[in-house]
């Protein structure tokens, strides 16, 4: 479904769109979530940019978000440097971990890394997997409305240095979301059907792996 332009849509309308996609996702059965998450993880493991990546930012799945736990485990086995987000107030930073069991429940019931006595990762990652409620085919994203990823990637240099991958099921994909200018767009979209890259000149995505 084609959405209204972001300039003509109210905050309440944006919330209705976000809530609708969240209800659709949350209505999925646990078995389907596991099945599709495995397919999505397989797409990542076969993706050359992942194989070449040395530093990767992940997120820990909350509720029925896409789970990339198998990818995280694979990354650790292959000696990749991985980090997870931790929020403090309006700020978000990423902290490196070497053991998934060291994550603890933090803000908004999200599993987070321990930050006490540790410095946040200062370098830009090769890849950053980003969760969301809905995405569109121009890289637009609706998150949970708190703006953490938009603020984190507000720096143009950080944006340019990091490949951002939106993670979702096909039922979360919109033709056109009413995103704002300050909403950070994704470079790739990852679903059970494959990994697709935004093509700015055509406002389309090119299928790179997975199903055609």
């Amino acid at each position: 479904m084609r959405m209204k332009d972001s300039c003509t849509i109210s905050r309440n309308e944006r919330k209705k769109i976000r809530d609708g996609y969240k209800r659709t996702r949350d209505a999925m059965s646990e078995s389907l979530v596991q099945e599709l998450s495995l397919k999505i993880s397989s797409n990542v493991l076969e993706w050359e940019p992942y194989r070449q990546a040395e530093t990767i930012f992940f997120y820990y799945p909350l509720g029925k978000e896409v789970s990339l736990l198998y990818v995280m485990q694979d990354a650790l086995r292959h000696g990749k440097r991985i980090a997870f987000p931790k929020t403090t107030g309006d700020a978000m930073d990423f902290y490196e971990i070497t053991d998934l069991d060291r994550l603890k429940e933090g803000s908004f019931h999200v599993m987070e890394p321990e930050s006490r006595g540790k410095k946040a990762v200062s370098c830009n990652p090769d890849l950053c997997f980003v969760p969301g409620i809905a995405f569109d085919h121009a890289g637009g994203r609706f998150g949970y409305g708190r703006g953490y990823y938009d603020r984190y990637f507000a720096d143009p240099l950080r944006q340019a240095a990091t490949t951002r991958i939106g993670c979702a099921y096909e039922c979360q994909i919109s033709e056109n979301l009413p995103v704002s200018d300050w909403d950070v767009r994704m470079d790739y979209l990852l679903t059970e059907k494959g990994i697709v890259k935004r093509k700015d000149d055509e406002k389309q995505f090119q299928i790179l792996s997975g199903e055609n």
Side-chain angles (χ1 to χ4, degrees):
M1 179 176 63
R2 183 173 294 278
M3 301 295 181
K4 296 179 183 179
D5 185 84
S6 60
C7 295
T8 63
I9 195 166
S10 69
R11 179 176 296 182
N12 187 53
E13 287 177 301
R14 285 169 63 95
K15 183 178 185 302
K16 287 181 180 178
I17 294 169
R18 182 181 287 111
D19 290 348
Y21 278 101
K22 187 174 186 300
R23 282 194 300 271
T24 298
R25 186 196 67 186
D26 291 349
M28 296 170 60
S29 67
E30 291 290 349
S31 60
L32 182 58
V33 167
Q34 293 178 13
E35 176 187 341
L36 296 185
S37 290
L38 282 175
K39 287 184 179 180
I40 292 168
S41 295
S42 295
N43 289 337
V44 176
L45 295 177
E46 296 172 1
W47 191 37
E48 191 60 26
Y50 166 74
R51 293 178 177 178
Q52 296 294 327
E54 297 180 357
T55 302
I56 305 174
F57 284 1
F58 285 101
Y59 66 91
Y60 198 92
L62 177 66
K64 294 184 178 178
E65 288 179 338
V66 171
S67 172
L68 297 178
L69 287 172
Y70 285 106
V71 181
M72 301 169 198
Q73 293 165 351
D74 178 83
L76 287 173
R77 283 197 301 270
H78 286 86
K80 298 180 186 292
R81 187 184 188 193
I82 72 172
F84 288 78
K86 182 177 179 62
T87 60
T88 304
D90 289 335
M92 180 176 75
D93 287 299
F94 285 79
Y95 292 86
E96 182 177 2
I97 69 160
T98 56
D99 185 347
L100 295 176
D101 290 337
R102 301 300 297 271
L103 295 169
K104 297 180 179 180
E105 186 174 327
S107 303
F108 312 110
H109 304 291
V110 177
M111 299 297 284
E112 295 182 333
E114 176 60 56
S115 61
R116 187 177 305 171
K118 297 177 63 177
K119 290 185 178 180
V121 176
S122 58
C123 68
N124 294 314
D126 299 301
L127 303 175
C128 179
F129 291 98
V130 182
I133 296 295
F135 298 87
D136 69 18
H137 291 289
R141 169 183 176 268
F142 268 19
Y144 291 89
R146 302 184 185 100
Y148 285 111
Y149 281 91
D150 295 322
R151 286 190 294 274
Y152 187 82
F153 285 108
D155 181 351
L157 294 179
R158 180 175 279 172
Q159 277 195 48
T162 303
T163 297
R164 298 172 301 282
I165 307 100
C167 305
Y169 311 105
E170 281 293 319
C171 65
Q172 296 174 262
I173 308 305
S174 168
E175 180 182 348
N176 182 31
L177 288 173
V179 295
S180 302
D181 291 340
W182 58 81
D183 290 324
V184 175
R185 292 182 181 269
M186 302 294 102
D187 299 299
Y188 291 86
L189 185 61
L190 167 64
T191 74
E192 65 269 23
K193 288 189 175 181
I195 303 172
V196 290
K197 180 179 181 180
R198 188 179 84 231
K199 299 182 71 174
D200 290 326
D201 54 342
E202 300 176 9
K203 295 301 181 185
Q204 294 179 351
F205 282 81
Q206 175 185 5
I207 295 180
L208 299 180
S209 66
E211 299 176 4
N212 291 316

